[in-house]
Amino acid sequence: MAHVLEAPYLDGRKTPVKLEALEAAGDNIPDGLKAMRDNMRAGFASRRFAVDQLVGDGEVLPFCGGIIVLHTPGHTPGHICLYRKDGGVLITGDALNVVGGMLTGPNADYSLDIDEAVRSVRKLQGLDIQTVICYHGGIFQGDMRTALEQIVS
């Protein structure tokens, strides 16, 4: 499953945006970035796969009593979060992070559009969230309203 804007990067029809930027720079980048570019190139070339189902913002998936898809661009164009209303569980991918036990916002170094990523966090503020599961940092359970307010302000 993937958002319609993410699918072409997963199945190989489009070069991932970050890799495309490194490719466009040619050899005019530091050696560390060259190595990262080469690793990304090899990784994406060997990990293409067909997307079986496209999902869109607000769509409810029939799992665990209903999982709501939230389009949260910024990290990538088709980034999504998944929200289980029953239980207040939000899987954020790269939209949020946990650092030192604290909920933090999107990482500017890894977001294609940090302003859009922050706008996406604002979209999450209206949800009744009890638990956040982040790709980076793990689980956060705490004062969600205050944590999200600090991130977007």
Side-chain angles (χ1 to χ4, degrees):
M1 288 184 195
H3 189 274
V4 66
L5 295 176
E6 203 71 15
Y9 300 104
L10 300 173
D11 66 20
R13 287 179 286 151
K14 286 187 173 183
T15 300
V17 179
K18 294 171 189 175
L19 176 57
E20 187 174 61
L22 290 171
E23 296 277 14
D27 287 330
N28 298 323
I29 56 177
D31 288 341
L33 286 179
K34 287 178 189 174
M36 186 171 86
R37 176 198 60 205
D38 294 344
N39 288 336
M40 288 175 73
R41 185 186 298 142
F44 286 116
S46 67
R47 290 182 180 91
R48 294 179 182 159
F49 58 90
V51 175
D52 298 322
Q53 182 179 343
L54 298 175
V55 296
D57 189 49
E59 184 173 339
V60 179
L61 304 175
F63 309 107
C64 302
I67 303 288
I68 302 168
V69 175
L70 302 165
H71 182 219
T72 51
H75 178 70
T76 62
H79 187 277
I80 60 171
C81 291
L82 300 172
Y83 176 62
R84 181 173 180 228
K85 190 174 182 176
D86 181 25
V89 177
L90 179 69
I91 301 172
T92 67
D94 289 306
L96 296 169
N97 299 283
V98 177
V99 177
M102 303 299 296
L103 190 65
T104 65
N107 187 321
D109 291 338
Y110 300 106
S111 296
L112 293 175
D113 184 335
I114 190 63
D115 293 332
E116 187 169 39
V118 171
R119 282 191 297 276
S120 289
V121 173
R122 283 190 185 104
K123 181 177 186 174
L124 306 175
Q125 287 184 287
L127 302 174
D128 180 20
I129 304 168
Q130 304 303 311
T131 303
V132 172
I133 303 170
C134 302
Y135 183 75
H136 298 283
I139 296 173
F140 177 80
Q141 294 176 309
D143 183 352
M144 211 64 62
R145 292 187 196 283
T146 301
L148 291 175
E149 185 59 40
Q150 290 173 346
I151 291 167
V152 300
S153 60

